[in-house]
Structure formats: structure tokens, C-alpha cells
Amino acid sequence: MQTIIVTGGAGYIGSHTLVELLNKTDFDVVSVDNFSNSTKSNYDRIKKITSRPFKTIELDLCDEKNLFKELSALSSIAGIIHFAAFKSVPDSMKDPLLYYHNNNSSLLNLLKFAHAQNINHFIFSSSCSVYGNATELPVTEQTPMTKAISAYGHTKQMGEEMIDFFSRSLPAFQSVVLRYFNPVGAHMSGLLGEYPISKPNNLVPIITQTAVGKNSLSVFGNDYDTKDGYCIRDYIHVSDIADAHVKALNYLLDKKNKEQVSLFNLGTGEGVSVLEAIKSFERVSGQKLAYKIGPRREGDVIAVYANNTLAKKELHWLPEYSLDDMMLSAWKWQQHLEATAS
Ligand code: UD1
């Protein structure tokens, strides 16, 4: 049986991708994680949902020696899906070097390993933040990258460029770069979701924590030049993002790719304001959300949403879940956390 390595498999998107891989494919799946922003208990949640075993390795990918030692012991590796990275925009502005070190040296080590082991299928987690303040809306894969607004976004631009130049040196190496817009929500069972290791920075976990009295939502500005004054994002359900990884993997393994490095936007294509997101949460949860309007946040893009035509056409991917599904699943997950908190 062929093996797929998933780095960051205990993390938010990684854990949901493990679920999709275990449910939809026969691969032997190996998750590699150092739990720097995730919890081991996610593995139990994945096992509960899928009833399928998978191997786990605790490893910091920045430790090249250990990476080679641990991963060389695996056999028949058909591909690598690389999630493991830091992802907080504000944290990356406070400590950019930490972000460059963690996100880029882990990628570098993994590419060295792939090269040494002749592993030629690679999927990379990128972000719409590579577009900076996008020069056109909706954003297509051809929309030029402008200067990154955050160090986080810059690590993703650098990551994409590392893969691009590496690929030019090694024609056999085939990769898919997936640019996520705003992944939110939780597995529809409500048994798996984004696990709050520290105080979240992202909107949806802050909304659900606010609803249970564990946080207080401050909306970052309502005087932008947008349809209702609030920032616009393209929220996309995390299980739809996870499903795209399974499709991207099969795309490479079935040799359907037309480019050596295939880039795809992953969003629903719909621009949703922060207020609309709040209203959706209130509608599906039946909770009135107490929030205040605060100042704008440094590093925030005003509006960004995807043209997702290419992913639909090439990967045969179709986002399944609505904004209400995203909010309802996030709310179910928050309630599950409340019910199981010790
Ligand atoms: C950014 C990236 C996204 C990446 C994510 C990872 C951009 C355009 N997007 O998302 O690709 O996956 O980081 O963390 O760079 N908001 C509030 N109050 C809060 C928190 C958020 O009003 O307390 C607002 C923000 O101003 C923004 C929206 O909610 O308009 C979403 O913010 P957030 O969830 O933090 O994600 P992004 O920064 O958009």
C-alpha cells in the first residue's frame, strides 16, 4: 500500500484532511506533528470519526537530522501534503523571524527529504495572503502577487517561490499549491474543529467563544469602502478545503496535471462581510452576539474573494457547504468543547 505523509496532521486543516483521506482513499496515512499549535487529542477524534488506524510521528520539521531519521524509516511514500506552519497574521508581525524560521526552514527540510527519497508528489498549503492587496476582484491565479501585507503572507510567497525554483531544477517533481481563502467551520459531526491552544486571532473561533462568554468580539472597523463598511472575505468550509487536498493528490498521482506546479484558489467565490458572518452565526445558533466595533486592525486586507473556476475545472472540486453550514458546524464544535471540558 502507498503511504501519504501529512505534516501538521493534528492541526486545524490537517486533521480535517486526515478524515477525508481516511474516509475516501485506501492510502496508509502518516501524520507528522510537533503539537506546537495543536493537540494529540485530535488524533482520537479523527479515529472516532473514521474508525481507521493511521501512524503518527511527533517531529519538529525544522530539525533536519531528526526529520531524515524518522521519515526515512517509512516505505512506499507516494506523496507529501505539507500543512505544518504558523498562521497568525498578528503574531507574524510581532515576531517575523519566528515565522520565517518555522514556515520556511520546515519547507526547505521537507523538500530536501523529498529530493533525497525521490518523492515527486507534493501539495503545499498556501494562502490568499500571497496576493497582498489584490489588484483585481475576484482574484484569479493569474492576479499578480503584490508586496505581502504581513510576514505570514510573505512566508507563503517565499514558500511558493522555493517550490517553483526547486521544480525547475527537478523536472520529475510535481506539485499543487493550494491558496486558501478563509477556512472556517468544523467537521459536520461537531466532533472535530479548530482547537484553541491559545487565544484565537481568527474571526469564527472568536465569535463562538464570545457566544459562550469566553471571549469578547471586537469588530475591526466598519468604515471601509465596501458594501456595508465591513471587511470582505471569502469564507470556505474546512471540510471543503480538506476534500480539495484529496482531489489534488489524485490529480498528481493520476498525472492529470498540466503544469509542473499547479496553482489553485480555494474559496467559494463569494465575498462576505464581517457583519454578514455575524448575522449568519446569530441565525443558525439562535444566539444574539454581543460585539463592539473597534478600530481597524493593522495588516488587514479590505476585501478579497476568489475566482475558483480553475479548481472546479481541473480538480472537479465543488464547495459543498454554505456560510450557514460553516457557522452551524463551528457552533456545534464549540458546544462539544464546552460539554467535554474538564
Ligand atoms: C488571514 C489570511 C488567510 C489565512 C488566515 C490565517 C488574508 C487576506 N487572509 O485571514 O488566508 O488563512 O489569515 O489566520 O490575509 N475580524 C474582526 N475581529 C476579530 C478577528 C477578525 O473583526 O477579532 C475580522 C478581520 O478584520 C477580517 C475578518 O474578521 O476582516 C477575518 O479575519 P481573520 O479570521 O483573522 O482572517 P484573515 O486575517 O482575513
Side-chain angles (χ1 to χ4, degrees), residues 87 127 181-182 202-203 206 218-220 231 233 297 300:
K87 63 146 199 172
S127 157
F181 281 65
N182 282 59
N202 293 118
L203 180 66
I206 295 175
S218 168
V219 172
F220 299 138
C231 280
R233 294 289 183 275
R297 174 173 69 174
D300 252 343

Side-chain angles (χ1 to χ4, degrees), residues 5-169:
I5 296 175
V6 178
T7 74
Y12 177 42
I13 306 175
S15 59
H16 288 79
T17 300
L18 282 185
V19 168
E20 298 301 311
L21 277 171
L22 293 165
N23 278 343
K24 293 179 179 166
T25 75
D26 294 327
F27 295 119
D28 281 336
V29 180
V30 179
S31 173
V32 177
D33 207 298
N34 67 348
F35 309 110
S36 60
N37 191 27
S38 61
T39 166
K40 275 186 191 155
S41 60
N42 272 351
Y43 289 151
D44 299 328
R45 297 184 173 97
I46 296 164
K47 281 179 190 144
K48 195 165 175 192
I49 294 171
T50 65
S51 308
R52 255 195 77 187
F54 56 94
K55 193 177 161 65
T56 64
I57 298 174
E58 184 165 349
L59 174 68
D60 182 349
L61 298 169
C62 296
D63 180 347
E64 183 182 348
K65 214 169 132 208
N66 224 0
L67 182 154
F68 269 74
K69 181 169 161 273
E70 295 279 346
L71 302 190
S72 300
L74 300 171
S75 55
S76 311
I77 304 168
I80 299 175
I81 305 181
H82 178 42
F83 291 104
F86 290 155
K87 63 146 199 172
S88 162
V89 169
D91 287 355
S92 79
M93 300 304 275
K94 280 183 219 128
D95 195 348
L97 297 186
L98 178 72
Y99 270 65
Y100 289 118
H101 174 73
N102 187 64
N103 292 5
N104 297 116
S105 54
S106 57
L107 173 61
L108 178 63
N109 291 340
L110 212 50
L111 292 176
K112 283 187 191 171
F113 173 74
H115 194 191
Q117 298 284 321
N118 217 5
I119 303 165
N120 287 324
H121 304 114
F122 194 84
I123 297 176
F124 179 61
S125 291
S126 190
S127 157
C128 68
S129 54
V130 299
Y131 296 110
N133 258 322
T135 52
E136 59 183 356
L137 288 174
V139 173
T140 76
E141 289 78 0
Q142 273 71 51
T143 301
M145 283 190 191
T146 61
K147 191 172 161 54
I149 315 268
S150 66
Y152 162 75
H154 192 212
T155 67
K156 293 295 176 187
Q157 289 182 339
M158 289 170 73
E160 289 196 11
E161 282 169 14
M162 285 163 69
I163 290 170
D164 183 45
F165 281 107
F166 173 58
S167 301
R168 293 190 211 182
S169 76

Side-chain angles (χ1 to χ4, degrees), residues 154-262:
H154 192 212
T155 67
K156 293 295 176 187
Q157 289 182 339
M158 289 170 73
E160 289 196 11
E161 282 169 14
M162 285 163 69
I163 290 170
D164 183 45
F165 281 107
F166 173 58
S167 301
R168 293 190 211 182
S169 76
L170 187 66
F173 189 78
Q174 310 292 311
S175 58
V176 171
V177 169
L178 297 173
R179 291 175 173 163
Y180 317 147
F181 281 65
N182 282 59
V184 298
H187 191 262
M188 291 309 276
S189 64
L191 298 175
L192 180 68
E194 185 161 16
Y195 195 88
I197 292 290
S198 51
K199 223 170 158 19
N201 289 310
N202 293 118
L203 180 66
V204 175
I206 295 175
I207 287 180
T208 59
Q209 286 190 351
T210 300
V212 296
K214 289 198 167 152
N215 210 327
S216 53
L217 173 64
S218 168
V219 172
F220 299 138
N222 66 349
D223 57 354
Y224 283 102
D225 183 17
T226 59
K227 55 185 170 187
D228 58 8
Y230 295 77
C231 280
I232 306 287
R233 294 289 183 275
D234 185 338
Y235 298 95
I236 167 100
H237 194 282
V238 64
S239 295
D240 278 328
I241 294 271
D243 174 57
H245 289 76
V246 178
K247 294 194 157 76
L249 183 64
N250 287 326
Y251 182 71
L252 290 181
L253 295 175
D254 296 343
K255 302 193 186 321
K256 294 273 165 53
N257 54 314
K258 300 189 175 96
E259 315 277 339
Q260 202 186 343
V261 183
S262 308

